[in-house]
Amino acid sequence: MSTRQDKIQALLKEEISNILRREFADPRLGFVTITDVEVSPDISFAKVFVSIFGKDEEKETNLAVLKHAKSYIRQLLSKRIRMRTVPEIDFRLDTSIDHGMKITELLEQIKHDEQ
């Protein structure tokens, strides 16, 4: 991966986070965190991984809201960053966070059971 890709990934992560925090006013959107961004080698496509707090149903609703608003978010991005073409955005649920939380909960349960 090139340093250009690294810089663009970091920039997209920061700017999308700021947009969701400050400019995106959809009441259906809950607590969402951008955990990672992966940009294609030609910078035309970006996978945006999100962690969503809540039950599975809430996660699905929040992810659907983000997917529905991706063109609007991309439009806001084009006003904030200087790029010839802003990459297409695809929001994806970061399941690695969920697995880590489940492992932590199981370890806490084992610790509690041993006492």
Side-chain angles (χ1 to χ4, degrees):
M1 187 178 324
S2 70
T3 49
R4 181 171 186 249
Q5 277 180 285
D6 288 338
K7 288 178 183 179
I8 291 173
Q9 287 176 171
L11 178 64
L12 289 174
K13 181 178 177 182
E14 181 180 339
E15 292 300 330
I16 293 171
S17 293
N18 288 335
I19 287 170
L20 292 179
R21 227 175 327 146
R22 297 181 184 146
E23 297 180 42
F24 193 73
D26 191 318
R28 298 172 295 169
L29 193 64
F31 187 71
V32 175
T33 304
I34 307 298
T35 57
D36 196 16
V37 175
E38 291 180 6
V39 178
S40 64
D42 64 354
I43 319 287
S44 65
F45 186 77
K47 296 178 199 171
V48 180
F49 293 92
V50 295
S51 172
I52 302 171
F53 184 74
K55 298 177 182 171
D56 288 341
E57 181 181 304
E58 294 169 311
K59 290 178 183 183
E60 289 176 25
T61 300
N62 282 278
L63 192 59
V65 168
L66 290 172
K67 287 185 178 208
H68 182 71
K70 67 183 177 181
S71 60
Y72 173 68
I73 293 170
R74 187 170 178 239
Q75 179 185 12
L76 292 175
L77 270 175
S78 69
K79 295 176 184 177
R80 292 170 151 239
I81 59 177
R82 288 186 168 170
M83 289 181 69
R84 215 175 306 145
T85 306
V86 175
E88 290 289 328
I89 300 170
D90 182 33
F91 287 101
R92 297 180 180 201
L93 194 59
D94 188 346
T95 55
S96 66
I97 301 293
D98 292 337
H99 294 301
M101 288 174 43
K102 287 179 183 175
I103 290 170
T104 303
E105 289 173 3
L106 289 172
L107 290 172
E108 287 295 322
Q109 183 178 2
I110 292 170
K111 183 178 175 182
H112 184 291
D113 290 346
E114 287 178 350
Q115 294 175 355

